Amino acid sequence: MEPIIKEKTGLVIDAYFSGTKIKWLLDNVEGARALARQGRLLAGTMDTWLIWNLTRGRCHVTDYTNASRTMLYDIKNLRWDDDLLALMDIPSEILPKVVPSSGLIGETDAELFGVPIPICGAAGDQQAALFGQACFEEGSAKNTYGTGCFILMNTGRKPVVSRHQLLTTIAWDCGEGIEYALEGSVFNAGAAIQWLRDELKLIENAQQGDLIAAGIPDTGGVYVVPAFTGLGAPYWDMYARGAIVGLTRGTTRKHIVRATLESIAYQSTDVFKAMISDLGTGLKELKVDGGASNSDFLMQFQADLLGIDVIKPTNTESTAYRAACFAGLGMGFWNSREELKHNYHIAKLFRPGISREEADRRMAGWDKAVRRSMSWA
């Protein structure tokens, strides 16, 4: 079924998405399927649950971006797909109405805040980040360096089907029609830094890791592949496991710390190379956010590997603000995307500092390391 699911939903088959979770609940929770048949059970994504509670049950909705991540939604024809629902034995009646990301969705119950408040924006966090980073043009891209990395590239009005295991997703609908994006997820990014701190006790905090990494010229040939929960895009190998390769008697704590930080940039570069191949066009610049984007060492290494400018905004922890951008447009606080561009301010610009030959050499070593970690479990 994977080719059909990919064609309809833009997703690969993985337990990461909602469809199989809903099926499991209906099959395994006592009485769940009977309640669904009686119209007494509903399902939805997290935004569905929040809006349901804010409106005291008057609105059972989700937006296009969240619907597109369920593995049940046809992102081209914009509807819950009957074939996929039948495949997973999920009744369509339990699923929410799908609405635009920006525009009036409903109102909060008056008793909650004293007055009804319009709900005018809803979006998946990464689509909101793409929008808030003002990636409005086709080919513009952002990377959120959080616990994992979430890399999205705007592909415009037409969905691009990836040949490299990337996800095709709805970017947003602001009342002007659907726009699409390609997405690649890196499962372990900031989580790898936490691993250095909490499990290995090699650093006391992220800032110390940054200083250690910048204080040595290289990793001494060491590569860390932080596949603690498998590998995401473009590999999608749930059986991969973490690996440290290239160790010698001269390897020190500092080499492992630096190699772990570098692994975040290597994984992201894998995704961007796949995106560029799918689109047949280069990447002009990369906008970044998320906690790990505060690492100047990591951002510089990312610019070195990609060979393009990496742009960090003044606000790197701004997912909530970016969701508010949808709401502000939906209620008329802002009249256009051009107004939102004026709210985007650059804090730091990282320019590539190594040759393409050196970048390719380092990526070749990373490729060898990744292959050692795959299909381990």
Side-chain angles (χ1 to χ4, degrees):
M1 292 298 297
E2 186 152 49
I4 294 173
I5 288 175
K6 189 169 182 62
E7 174 66 23
K8 289 174 179 283
T9 71
L11 307 177
V12 297
I13 294 178
D14 197 274
Y16 190 65
F17 307 114
S18 310
T20 51
K21 292 179 170 64
I22 296 172
K23 174 175 172 53
W24 189 95
L25 289 167
L26 291 173
D27 289 345
N28 292 278
V29 176
E30 186 176 353
R33 192 167 290 283
L35 287 171
R37 292 194 185 102
Q38 295 164 18
R40 297 173 58 202
L41 184 70
L42 297 176
T45 50
M46 182 54 70
D47 62 312
T48 307
W49 185 84
L50 289 168
I51 294 169
W52 174 267
N53 282 280
L54 287 169
T55 62
R56 293 281 171 87
R58 288 192 295 273
C59 292
H60 182 230
V61 301
T62 187
D63 90 300
Y64 286 117
T65 68
N66 285 294
S68 73
R69 310 316 296 271
T70 60
M71 215 164 71
L72 299 170
Y73 194 71
D74 185 330
I75 63 172
K76 296 175 183 175
N77 295 305
L78 306 180
R79 64 191 179 204
W80 298 114
D81 188 81
D82 291 337
D83 294 335
L84 298 181
L85 293 174
L87 173 68
M88 299 188 210
D89 196 15
I90 297 171
S92 61
E93 292 78 14
I94 73 172
L95 297 173
K97 177 184 176 183
V98 183
V99 299
S101 311
S102 182
L104 181 62
I105 296 169
E107 291 184 334
T108 63
D109 187 88
E111 292 184 5
L112 290 176
F113 305 109
V115 293
I117 298 172
I119 301 170
C120 296
D125 56 352
Q126 299 311 318
Q127 289 93 334
L130 184 71
F131 192 82
Q133 286 273 32
C135 294
F136 302 141
E137 290 78 30
E138 185 175 333
S140 55
K142 71 90 193 173
N143 191 1
T144 296
Y145 297 82
T147 303
C149 282
F150 296 92
I151 300 151
L152 271 74
M153 179 183 288
N154 186 325
T155 62
R157 298 288 181 182
K158 292 184 178 181
V160 174
V161 178
S162 175
R163 303 183 305 278
H164 301 90
Q165 293 283 78
L166 301 180
L167 308 180
T168 305
T169 190
I170 293 176
W172 51 69
D173 175 12
C174 295
E176 301 169 354
I178 297 290
E179 294 178 54
Y180 294 90
L182 277 176
E183 177 175 342
S185 300
V186 171
F187 292 161
N188 292 283
I193 300 173
Q194 294 166 357
W195 169 70
L196 289 177
R197 181 193 66 198
D198 300 338
E199 275 71 44
L200 298 191
K201 312 294 184 185
L202 296 184
I203 58 175
E204 294 181 2
N205 52 55
Q207 292 75 19
Q208 184 186 27
D210 217 31
L211 292 172
I212 289 172
I216 56 175
D218 54 47
T219 67
V222 173
Y223 288 87
V224 172
V225 184
F228 307 131
T229 52
L231 289 169
Y235 306 102
W236 287 102
D237 183 353
M238 67 180 77
Y239 302 109
R241 289 297 179 266
I244 304 176
V245 300
L247 296 170
T248 68
R249 184 60 182 82
T251 299
T252 69
R253 152 181 169 262
K254 293 181 179 180
H255 292 125
I256 293 173
V257 169
R258 175 167 174 143
T260 301
L261 264 70
E262 287 188 357
S263 74
I264 300 171
Y266 282 126
Q267 292 176 97
S268 298
T269 301
D270 280 339
V271 175
F272 280 116
K273 287 170 66 177
M275 284 184 172
I276 290 167
S277 178
D278 280 335
L279 287 174
T281 183
L283 187 64
K284 295 179 181 178
E285 62 187 21
L286 172 65
K287 295 179 177 179
V288 300
D289 58 15
S293 69
N294 291 313
S295 167
D296 285 357
F297 169 81
L298 174 57
M299 294 301 97
Q300 182 58 56
F301 192 67
Q302 188 70 85
D304 291 344
L305 290 182
L306 290 174
I308 58 172
D309 292 347
V310 170
I311 300 169
K312 183 171 75 171
T314 51
N315 185 357
T316 59
E317 294 287 357
S318 53
T319 301
Y321 158 71
R322 288 159 186 165
C325 289
F326 284 121
L329 280 175
M331 66 176 293
F333 183 80
W334 293 295
N335 294 314
S336 70
R337 299 181 192 183
E338 290 302 315
E339 288 188 50
L340 291 174
K341 284 184 178 180
H342 296 307
N343 293 335
Y344 186 87
H345 303 288
I346 296 173
K348 202 158 190 179
L349 180 68
F350 300 88
R351 297 189 182 280
I354 64 174
S355 68
R356 301 318 305 145
E357 291 77 13
E358 175 64 15
D360 290 342
R361 184 187 69 79
R362 295 186 183 191
M363 283 301 301
W366 167 255
D367 291 341
K368 287 173 61 179
V370 168
R371 287 197 295 273
R372 300 299 194 276
S373 77
M374 294 181 74
S375 303
W376 185 268

